[in-house]
Amino acid sequence: MSPLGSPEHSWRAADLHDALFPLRKERGWSGSPQGPGICIEGPRDSASPDYVLSPPDCNRWGNELLSSGVIMAAEIVSPSSIHTDRVAKLHLYALGKIPVYLLIDPIAQPPVVTVYSNLQDGEYRTATSVAMGKVICLPSPIDFELDTSMIRA
């Protein structure tokens, strides 16, 4: 079992959950900090994102959501997860056909938020970054302006 992150890490995931409340309510989507787990279709690898956005009827593999039904996976970079979040999960989520990967990187200098999208041939072809505190567009299928000032830096 992996150790829990710092309180700040958990609070950032909760802040993201709060910031997405209007979207979740409008669309009837489910969102959850620290779970549920995702089964990456194909290799059947398991992933535990810091935040998952999905339709409530997302297909499952046991107790995990099947990656092709997930709308967005988000990770919050911490000192112990730099390579995993910035590199490994970027490739894993693209392989699993998750349309949007949101990377919140409060330890970058300066802190930054990046949205990966536009999946083609198992890779994200578009990466859009803004400084923490700015608004960033979460592209289709989400189509939502995320105010990152709502997420503590």
Side-chain angles (χ1 to χ4, degrees):
M1 186 160 160
S2 298
L4 294 175
S6 69
E8 291 78 14
H9 190 270
S10 296
W11 294 334
R12 288 180 184 112
D15 290 344
L16 176 61
H17 186 65
D18 293 346
L20 293 173
F21 176 77
L23 172 74
R24 294 188 338 265
K25 184 173 175 127
E26 173 189 311
R27 309 257 178 100
W29 290 344
S30 297
S32 179
Q34 276 78 42
I38 296 174
C39 176
I40 303 299
E41 290 183 65
R44 298 278 186 236
D45 290 338
S46 289
S48 298
D50 291 322
Y51 189 84
V52 178
L53 183 65
S54 67
D57 60 348
C58 186
N59 289 332
R60 298 180 184 191
W61 179 263
N63 286 328
E64 295 180 325
L65 301 178
L66 280 175
S67 59
S68 64
V70 170
I71 298 164
M72 179 182 79
E75 298 293 347
I76 301 161
V77 179
S78 63
S80 64
S81 71
I82 292 170
H83 182 267
T84 300
D85 293 344
R86 292 179 184 166
V87 179
K89 286 192 174 179
L90 173 65
H91 296 295
L92 189 63
Y93 294 152
L95 177 66
K97 299 183 175 126
I98 297 173
V100 178
Y101 175 38
L102 177 67
L103 183 67
I104 300 168
D105 197 341
I107 65 172
Q109 291 302 320
V112 67
V113 176
T114 304
V115 174
Y116 296 93
S117 62
N118 189 18
L119 272 172
Q120 292 177 17
D121 301 321
E123 293 183 18
Y124 293 111
R125 300 294 182 178
T126 304
T128 304
S129 297
V130 299
M132 286 280 299
K134 302 292 184 186
V135 173
I136 192 165
C137 177
L138 300 178
S140 182
I142 301 171
D143 298 315
F144 183 77
E145 297 287 319
L146 176 65
D147 180 359
T148 68
S149 70
M150 295 181 68
I151 303 166
R152 62 195 84 207

